[in-house]
C-alpha cells in the first residue's frame, strides 16, 4: 500500500481513538446551542372549489392571514464547518383573519373570521455554510413538523349589525417544507465561540386541499367548524448560540 493511501486509511481509525475534546480540536464536529426568537406570518388561500354538497356555497370562506411571535431553542450540529443539521424547538400561536360578506333578505353584513391554534414547531433543516471567519452566510432546506392543539375559530361582526351562529375550530398535526437563507455573526469574545444567527424562511404545506368541504365541517348545510391548519408560512429568526 502506498504511504498516502495508508495514511488516508488510518484517518478514520485515528478519529475514533481520539477523545471527543480532541476530535473537536480538529473542527471536525462543532455543536451549538442557544435560545431563539421568531416573528412570522401565516397564510391560507381561498379554495378553488367553493361548493357544499355539490352546490355553490357563496362567499362563506375567506383567505386568511396573520402574524405571530414565538420563542424556543436551537441545536446546530456542524460538520467540517461547511455542513450542518439544525433542529429547533419553537412555541408560538399561529393565527389568521379573513373577511366575508353574508347577505340575508337583500341586506349584506360584513364579518371577520379568525382562526388560530397553539403550535409546537420542530424544524429539522440541513444547512450549507460558507465558513467566513466573522460573518458566515448559509442556506437552509428541510421539513418542519407542527404539533398543533387548542384550535379555535370565531365570527365577529364588523359593523355590529349582523349575527352568525357560533363556530368552532379543529386541527391535526401537520408539516411544512421549509427553505431559507441566513447568516451568523461571530462575536469577538476571547476564549469563547459565541455567534448571533439570524435567518429568513419560507414554508409550504402541500396537504391543504383546494376543496371547501375538505377545510370545514358542515352541520345543517352551514359551516360548523374551520380547519385551522395554514398553507404558507414566512418567518424570521434571531438567536444567540455558544459552540463547543
Amino acid at each position: 500500500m502506498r504511504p498516502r493511501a495508508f495514511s488516508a486509511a488510518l484517518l478514520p481509525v485515528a478519529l475514533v481513538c481520539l477523545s471527543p475534546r480532541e476530535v473537536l480540536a480538529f473542527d471536525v464536529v462543532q455543536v451549538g446551542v442557544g435560545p431563539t426568537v421568531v416573528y412570522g406570518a401565516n397564510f391560507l388561500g381561498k379554495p378553488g372549489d367553493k361548493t357544499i354538497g355539490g352546490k355553490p356555497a357563496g362567499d362563506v370562506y375567506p383567505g386568511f392571514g396573520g402574524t405571530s411571535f414565538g420563542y424556543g431553542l436551537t441545536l446546530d450540529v456542524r460538520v467540517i464547518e461547511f455542513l450542518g443539521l439544525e433542529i429547533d424547538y419553537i412555541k408560538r400561536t399561529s393565527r389568521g383573519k379573513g373577511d366575508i360578506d353574508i347577505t340575508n333578505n337583500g341586506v349584506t353584513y360584513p364579518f371577520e373570521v379568525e382562526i388560530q391554534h397553539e403550535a409546537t414547531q420542530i424544524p429539522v433543516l440541513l444547512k450549507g455554510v460558507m465558513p467566513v471567519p466573522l460573518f458566515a452566510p448559509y442556506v437552509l432546506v428541510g421539513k418542519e413538523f407542527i404539533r398543533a392543539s387548542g384550535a379555535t375559530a370565531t365570527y365577529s361582526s364588523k359593523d355590529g349589525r349582523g349575527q352568525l351562529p357560533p363556530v368552532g375550530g379543529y386541527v391535526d398535526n401537520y408539516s411544512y417544507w421549509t427553505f431559507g437563507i441566513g447568516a451568523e455573526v461571530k462575536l469577538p469574545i476571547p476564549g469563547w465561540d459565541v455567534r448571533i444567527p439570524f435567518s429568513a424562511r419560507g414554508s409550504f404545506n402541500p396537504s391543504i386541499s383546494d376543496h371547501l368541504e375538505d377545510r370545514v365541517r358542515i352541520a345543517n348545510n352551514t359551516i360548523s367548524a374551520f380547519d385551522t391548519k395554514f398553507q404558507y408560512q414566512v418567518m424570521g429568526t434571531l438567536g444567540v448560540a455558544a459552540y463547543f
Side-chain angles (χ1 to χ4, degrees):
M1 182 179 293
R2 296 180 180 178
R4 181 175 298 177
F6 181 73
S7 299
L10 284 180
L11 179 58
V13 177
L15 291 177
V16 170
C17 294
L18 292 173
S19 69
R21 183 183 298 271
E22 290 169 323
V23 171
L24 293 177
F26 282 96
D27 287 334
V28 175
V29 176
Q30 294 178 313
V31 178
V33 63
T36 189
V37 294
V38 303
Y39 187 82
N42 314 287
F43 302 98
L44 178 61
K46 292 184 178 181
D49 181 352
K50 300 179 182 180
T51 60
I52 295 177
K55 298 180 180 180
D59 189 22
V60 296
Y61 187 101
F64 293 91
T67 60
S68 63
F69 171 82
Y71 58 91
L73 292 172
T74 293
L75 173 68
D76 183 19
V77 180
R78 196 73 54 83
V79 180
I80 59 173
E81 298 184 350
F82 296 91
L83 302 175
L85 177 66
E86 180 176 324
I87 302 175
D88 302 324
Y89 182 88
I90 299 167
K91 300 287 289 186
R92 66 191 290 223
T93 300
S94 297
R95 59 172 60 89
K97 297 180 180 181
D99 295 331
I100 59 174
D101 292 326
I102 302 297
T103 300
N104 187 17
N105 296 325
V107 180
T108 299
Y109 302 94
F111 286 87
E112 180 180 79
V113 189
E114 181 176 12
I115 59 174
Q116 72 174 43
H117 61 259
E118 301 302 316
T120 299
Q121 304 186 199
I122 305 177
V124 180
L125 306 171
L126 294 175
K127 178 183 290 187
V129 185
M130 183 181 296
V132 180
L134 297 180
F135 182 85
Y138 56 78
V139 295
L140 299 164
V141 63
K143 203 161 188 180
E144 188 165 344
F145 301 93
I146 313 296
R147 297 185 61 184
S149 63
T152 63
T154 55
Y155 288 129
S156 300
S157 174
K158 299 188 70 174
D159 62 4
R161 295 184 302 139
Q163 186 174 357
L164 289 175
V167 69
Y170 65 97
V171 68
D172 298 318
N173 295 337
Y174 60 104
S175 62
Y176 288 118
W177 286 105
T178 296
F179 62 92
I181 58 174
E184 58 189 28
V185 179
K186 188 172 182 178
L187 300 182
I189 303 176
W192 292 88
D193 186 353
V194 178
R195 310 174 196 179
I196 304 295
F198 56 92
S199 70
R201 304 176 185 181
S203 304
F204 169 65
N205 177 3
S207 70
I208 298 297
S209 172
D210 198 39
H211 300 282
L212 171 59
E213 285 186 300
D214 294 332
R215 300 192 190 182
V216 297
R217 290 176 179 166
I218 306 298
N220 299 321
N221 293 320
T222 61
I223 295 175
S224 62
F226 286 86
D227 188 346
T228 66
K229 291 193 295 291
F230 287 94
Q231 189 173 17
Y232 304 101
Q233 173 189 263
V234 293
M235 191 167 68
T237 71
L238 176 64
V240 59
Y243 282 76
F244 305 92

